[in-house]
């Protein structure tokens, strides 16, 4: 089954990357500015972080948040577990696929995903799953690098994509905002910067009518 093979391949890729991920992100986090605190400060109640990675967002969640984190990679989750312990923070960390979340509909008040919709093979399915597990009236919080605002930037990204998509599963020309709108969520806050290459947003699932 192609899906299973792909999952195994990317799991191995991220397991291998887990030891050096935090060091690499020290450089990228400068580009992403204050996006981690911007996202996490808006989380409330039962919160799911999708593709939690090594838990780099954990220090920024307010104390009242009940946090669950999923990721495809046990290696990344292992680092996140150590970080949670060091921070004295209780987090329910589980191995799972963002494209098929193992939670019933309407389970969470907040769903967070940072810098991962660029790496999840079917990002539309992932946004659809995040919408499904969000309670009516709940908030989706996303931050990622996206297709740039001007064509010269996108032309460079297209060349980068030609290498990174097959080798690392990393996409530079995505725009999660479109999927969020297609799912019927209402965008309440949105910021785009660094030549339009980074976008972060807060979008609400309509309350049940
Ligand atoms: C670039 S890292 C981002 C980690 C973290 N969200 C952050 O902000 O630092 C991408 C993460 O996506 C995870 N991932 C990739 N595909 C996934 C999938 N289908 N389901 C769940 N996690 C996935 C990887 O294991 C990795 O931890």
């Amino acid at each position: 089954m192609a899906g299973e093979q792909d999952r195994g391949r990317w799991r191995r890729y991220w397991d291998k990357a887990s030891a050096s991920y935090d060091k690499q992100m020290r450089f990228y986090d400068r580009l992403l500015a204050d996006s981690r605190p911007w996202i996490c400060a808006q989380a409330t109640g039962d919160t799911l972080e999708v593709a939690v990675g090594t838990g780099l967002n954990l220090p920024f969640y307010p104390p009242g948040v009940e946090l669950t984190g999923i990721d495809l990679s046990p290696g990344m989750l292992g680092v996140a577990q150590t970080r949670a312990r060091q921070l004295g923070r209780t987090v329910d960390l589980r191995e799972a696929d963002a494209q098929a979340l193992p939670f019933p509909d309407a389970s969470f008040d907040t769903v967070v995903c940072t810098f991962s919709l660029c790496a999840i093979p079917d990002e539309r399915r992932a946004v659809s799953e995040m919408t499904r597990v969000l309670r009516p009236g709940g908030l989706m919080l996303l931050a990622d690098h996206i297709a740039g605002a001007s064509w010269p930037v996108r032309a460079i990204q297209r060349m980068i994509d030609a290498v990174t998509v097959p080798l690392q599963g990393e996409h530079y020309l995505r725009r999660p905002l479109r999927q969020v709108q297609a799912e019927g969520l209402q965008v309440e806050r949105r910021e785009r910067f660094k030549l339009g290459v980074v976008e972060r947003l807060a979008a609400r699932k309509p309350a049940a009518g």
Side-chain angles (χ1 to χ4, degrees):
M1 235 170 47
E4 261 314 312
Q5 277 174 11
D6 276 359
R7 240 193 312 278
R9 179 185 171 198
W10 296 124
R11 185 182 289 117
R12 285 191 297 280
Y13 174 84
W14 286 107
D15 278 349
K16 215 167 161 189
S18 62
S20 58
Y21 180 79
D22 288 0
K23 207 167 153 196
Q24 274 175 32
M25 280 309 281
R26 258 179 244 147
F27 167 76
Y28 287 109
D29 267 339
R30 259 177 264 149
L31 173 75
L32 307 169
D34 59 345
S35 295
R36 295 187 188 282
W38 189 91
I39 291 281
C40 297
Q42 298 178 68
T44 56
D46 295 328
T47 296
L48 172 66
E49 186 172 333
V50 171
V52 63
T54 60
L56 286 173
N57 290 330
L58 297 187
F60 301 107
Y61 284 104
V65 161
E66 287 285 328
L67 196 60
T68 302
I70 69 101
D71 201 281
L72 191 65
S73 155
M76 298 293 270
L77 288 168
V79 180
Q81 190 63 261
T82 303
R83 174 168 278 115
R85 212 174 304 122
Q86 285 165 352
L87 291 166
R89 173 126 222 172
T90 306
V91 189
D92 178 0
L93 290 168
R94 306 186 195 182
E95 192 181 323
D97 187 345
Q99 301 160 129
L101 292 172
F103 305 105
D105 297 357
S107 297
F108 297 96
D109 301 301
T110 308
V111 177
V112 169
C113 188
T114 62
F115 317 116
S116 295
L117 287 172
C118 52
I120 293 167
D122 188 342
E123 92 282 17
R124 290 170 191 215
R125 219 164 111 197
V127 172
S128 185
E129 277 293 90
M130 288 188 240
T131 306
R132 180 183 67 73
V133 301
L134 201 53
R135 293 186 180 128
L139 201 61
M140 184 183 291
L141 295 163
L142 304 180
D144 227 308
H145 62 79
I146 59 161
S150 66
W151 74 259
V153 173
R154 288 196 299 276
I156 294 168
Q157 288 176 307
R158 200 171 302 282
M159 286 190 276
I160 298 173
D161 245 27
V163 178
T164 58
V165 171
L167 289 185
Q168 302 167 347
E170 183 80 11
H171 296 254
Y172 283 86
L173 288 167
R174 288 181 168 175
R175 193 80 200 274
L177 169 68
R178 296 205 186 103
Q179 185 60 20
V180 167
Q181 289 169 328
E183 289 290 338
L185 276 70
Q186 285 148 10
V187 178
E188 293 188 343
R189 279 174 292 285
R190 182 167 71 88
E191 294 181 7
R192 190 178 181 185
F193 48 94
K194 307 272 177 179
L195 302 173
V197 160
V198 182
E199 187 163 64
R200 55 197 190 192
L201 63 86
R204 198 167 295 279
K205 183 169 175 174

